[in-house]
């Protein structure tokens, strides 16, 4: 654990870091990496949530947005709002966190976000480093690899929202930005800090895409980046933004919460499907009936009753409720119903979490980026304080649960969560938000060991 003002490896005071993440699981991903190097991190779910004493005490703040696949204009507006909030908080260094597979379209949103931030903050240079070796993302000779495959030959090639048909990052970024794009290749990265500083030296505004194939490359890039450099990329750059030495996992501020344990999964990724397959052999589980959801039925009340029954049988045994365990599940639905069912999946799982609060919910693990966003909003969570790591990019965090009817919301027209009787005081629960592709197959069954 670190106290006071930690110092960077090069002896300079550690800068107060403001980070903007393009989705909720991405926010906990980068927060996890920052915590692992000794940062005291708080995640705020939207710039308007950046209030309270916990933010004054933190040395790194991550603002979670839902901008990853938003229209470009909306995304840029949200990113600028977040940057202004972070500057008002006192950030002296800025970091735009996006998916380590660089998933974006030819119009954005990565390029427009970088351009807007450089202009807003008055910075001349953006470093783009999406590598995250811990999760199999590396950049070499300007090409992004997913595991041993180039991006355009990986499963991301056929992503339903952002199909990635090119692994050459410069070609991907240039159509999105009005600024020049340059490369910083691996031999230059490994030539040392002075070479990196020269490549990132103030000049006309531009973005520099850096190779990195291991954590030491990312540490070197981050540590050589002066305050005039806007950091952008995956969570890996955070490894070079911490204190000297190794940092122990931070415990949850108020200790492990008591109560029922719940896993809700709206993700259809291959990694999550393997986690579901393993968990089904050890945990009580229920699968959503997608045809009933498509017909407009409300499943949350009966699912909540079932979850509470399981807790009554064995209080501390986690319970799993999931949407899919096969890609055939959604494929079996008529094409015109799939988008609507995906939204109902997220709403049902979020409403289920809300409905179990008054029945003793103490900890919830959420799989899937969109599902995580819906759960956070439905539970009325403004911010979370980062605790122990479960896997690279996945952490337990502590959240204060809002009183009934005080869900944070995001201005959408979603129906209100199930009515709950108002608690006597704000409750604290443990929450973990997991990107679909993160964690090993035992995550759903083993995550709870950190809460003992």
């Amino acid at each position: 654990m670190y106290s006071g003002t930690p110092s960077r490896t090069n002896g300079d005071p550690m800068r107060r870091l403001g980070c903007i993440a393009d989705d909720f699981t991405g926010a906990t991903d980068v927060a996890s990496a920052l915590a692992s190097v000794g940062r005291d991190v708080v995640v705020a779910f939207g710039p308007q949530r950046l209030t309270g004493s916990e933010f004054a005490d933190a040395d790194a703040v991550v603002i979670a947005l839902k901008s990853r696949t938003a229209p470009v204009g909306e995304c840029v507006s949200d990113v600028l709002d977040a940057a202004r909030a972070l500057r008002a908080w006192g950030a002296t260094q800025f970091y735009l966190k996006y998916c380590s597979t660089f998933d974006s379209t030819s119009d954005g949103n990565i390029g427009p976000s970088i351009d807007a931030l450089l202009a807003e903050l008055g910075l001349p240079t953006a470093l783009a480093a999406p590598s995250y070796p811990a999760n199999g993302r590396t950049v070499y000779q300007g090409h992004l690899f997913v595991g041993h495959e180039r991006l355009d030959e990986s499963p991301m090639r056929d992503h339903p929202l952002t199909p990635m048909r090119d692994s050459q990052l410069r070609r991907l970024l240039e159509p999105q930005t009005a600024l020049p794009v340059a490369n910083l290749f691996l031999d230059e990265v490994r030539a040392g800090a002075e070479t990196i500083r020269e490549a990132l030296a103030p000049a006309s505004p531009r973005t520099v895409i850096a190779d990195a194939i291991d954590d030491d490359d990312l540490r070197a890039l981050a540590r050589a980046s002066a305050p005039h450099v806007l950091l952008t990329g995956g969570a890996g750059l955070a490894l070079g933004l911490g204190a000297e030495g190794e940092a122990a996992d931070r415990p949850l501020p108020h200790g492990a919460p008591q109560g029922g344990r719940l896993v809700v999964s709206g993700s259809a990724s291959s990694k999550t499907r393997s986690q579901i397959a393993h968990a089904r052999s050890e945990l009580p589980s229920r699968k959503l009936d997608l045809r009933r959801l498509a017909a407009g039925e409300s499943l949350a009340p009966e699912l909540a009753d079932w979850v509470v029954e399981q807790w009554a049988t064995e209080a501390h045994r986690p319970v799993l409720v999931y949407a899919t365990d096969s890609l055939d599940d959604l494929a079996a639905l008529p094409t015109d119903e799939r988008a609507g069912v995906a939204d109902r999946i997220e709403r049902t799982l979020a409403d289920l979490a809300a409905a179990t609060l008054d029945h003793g919910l103490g900890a919830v693990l959420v799989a899937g980026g969109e599902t995580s966003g819906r759960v956070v909003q439905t539970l009325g969570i403004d911010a979370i304080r980062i605790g122990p790591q479960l896997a690279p990019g996945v952490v337990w965090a502590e959240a204060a649960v809002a009183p009934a009817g005080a869900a944070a919301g995001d201005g959408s027209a979603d129906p209100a969560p199930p009515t709950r009787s108002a608690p006597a005081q704000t409750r604290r629960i443990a929450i973990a938000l997991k990107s679909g592709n993160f964690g090993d197959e035992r995550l759903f069954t083993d995550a709870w060991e950190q809460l003992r």
Side-chain angles (χ1 to χ4, degrees):
M1 298 287 293
Y2 292 91
S3 59
T5 303
S7 63
R8 292 166 59 85
T9 301
N10 61 12
D12 296 333
M14 197 158 64
R15 301 163 193 145
R16 208 171 195 206
L17 181 67
C19 183
I20 302 165
D22 63 359
D23 68 6
F24 285 25
T25 54
T28 57
D29 181 11
V30 70
S32 167
L34 288 166
S36 76
V37 294
R39 290 281 194 164
D40 187 6
V41 194
V42 181
V43 178
F45 295 105
Q48 71 278 17
R49 312 296 175 199
L50 193 52
T51 59
S53 60
E54 70 267 32
F55 294 103
D57 295 341
D59 56 56
V61 166
V62 182
I63 294 182
L65 302 177
K66 294 187 71 177
S67 60
R68 184 170 170 183
T69 56
V72 173
E74 178 184 327
C75 168
V76 168
S77 177
D78 289 348
V79 165
L80 291 178
D81 285 346
R84 290 163 189 153
L86 288 167
R87 188 158 53 183
W89 166 72
T92 56
Q93 186 171 32
F94 293 85
Y95 187 159
L96 175 68
K97 194 278 175 190
Y98 44 78
C99 184
S100 57
T101 45
F102 211 79
D103 49 339
S104 188
T105 66
S106 59
D107 297 324
N109 286 340
I110 294 173
S113 296
I114 292 174
D115 290 2
L117 283 172
L118 289 178
E120 173 69 22
L121 300 171
L123 303 178
T125 309
L127 169 66
S131 296
Y132 196 5
N135 280 316
R137 278 55 162 164
T138 54
V139 178
Y140 179 65
Q141 296 297 302
H143 287 267
L144 179 56
F145 288 79
V146 179
H148 298 294
E149 299 177 307
R150 291 193 332 189
L151 176 65
D152 57 333
E153 296 173 349
S154 76
M156 285 297 294
R157 172 181 173 81
D158 297 314
H159 190 283
L161 297 178
T162 53
M164 306 307 296
R165 301 298 169 82
D166 195 349
S167 66
Q168 223 280 7
L169 292 181
R170 189 169 180 175
R171 282 197 300 262
L172 284 172
L173 187 58
E174 284 180 331
Q176 304 176 25
T177 177
L179 303 178
V181 181
N183 284 105
L184 181 61
F185 293 114
L186 189 64
D187 59 337
E188 299 170 291
V189 172
R190 294 189 170 179
E194 190 58 37
T195 300
I196 296 172
R197 290 191 190 102
E198 288 177 5
L200 300 177
S204 58
R206 71 199 191 284
T207 297
V208 178
I209 297 171
D211 283 3
I213 63 173
D214 62 27
D215 290 347
D216 285 341
D217 297 330
L218 291 166
R219 291 188 186 98
L221 287 164
R223 289 170 179 168
S225 297
H228 73 267
V229 177
L230 170 67
L231 301 174
T232 85
L237 273 173
L239 299 176
L241 298 174
E244 291 188 58
E246 297 296 324
D249 271 343
R250 294 179 182 274
L252 293 175
H254 293 83
Q258 300 300 308
R261 299 171 172 187
L262 177 65
V263 182
V264 292
S265 173
S267 171
S269 74
S270 59
K271 183 63 67 69
T272 300
R273 296 198 308 273
S274 72
Q275 290 160 346
I276 289 168
H278 173 77
R280 287 177 57 192
S281 67
E282 297 191 20
L283 306 180
S285 61
R286 283 278 292 268
K287 182 178 181 179
L288 299 185
D289 188 327
L290 301 190
R291 294 193 177 278
R292 290 178 63 191
L293 282 181
E297 292 189 48
S298 176
L299 304 184
E302 68 180 69
L303 289 168
D305 288 343
W306 176 78
V307 168
V308 173
E309 288 175 5
Q310 306 311 306
W311 290 344
T313 302
E314 190 172 349
H316 294 289
R317 190 179 189 190
V319 178
L320 167 67
V321 179
Y322 64 97
T324 62
D325 53 10
S326 167
L327 291 178
D328 294 335
D329 293 332
L330 287 173
L333 297 171
T335 303
D336 60 350
E337 293 183 1
R338 292 175 193 170
V341 168
D343 181 74
R344 292 186 186 108
I345 287 171
E346 296 159 16
R347 184 176 301 167
T348 298
L349 294 175
D351 287 352
L352 168 62
T356 59
L357 274 175
D358 283 347
H359 297 281
L361 177 68
V364 58
L365 193 164
V366 188
E370 294 302 314
T371 307
S372 292
R374 188 67 68 92
V375 168
V376 164
Q377 291 166 352
T378 300
L379 296 185
I381 296 172
D382 290 340
I384 55 176
R385 194 116 193 179
I386 299 303
Q389 186 179 78
L390 300 174
V394 189
V395 291
W396 280 119
E398 184 178 273
V401 182
D410 60 353
S412 69
D414 288 342
T419 301
R420 309 192 305 268
S421 59
Q425 58 183 5
T426 301
R427 288 186 51 211
R428 297 184 181 276
I429 65 169
I431 186 166
L433 308 177
K434 185 194 90 73
S435 175
N437 287 310
F438 286 4
D440 65 24
E441 70 169 14
R442 297 188 59 86
L443 183 68
F444 291 172
T445 56
D446 292 356
W448 319 97
E449 293 176 4
Q450 295 278 8
L451 296 182
R452 290 178 180 173

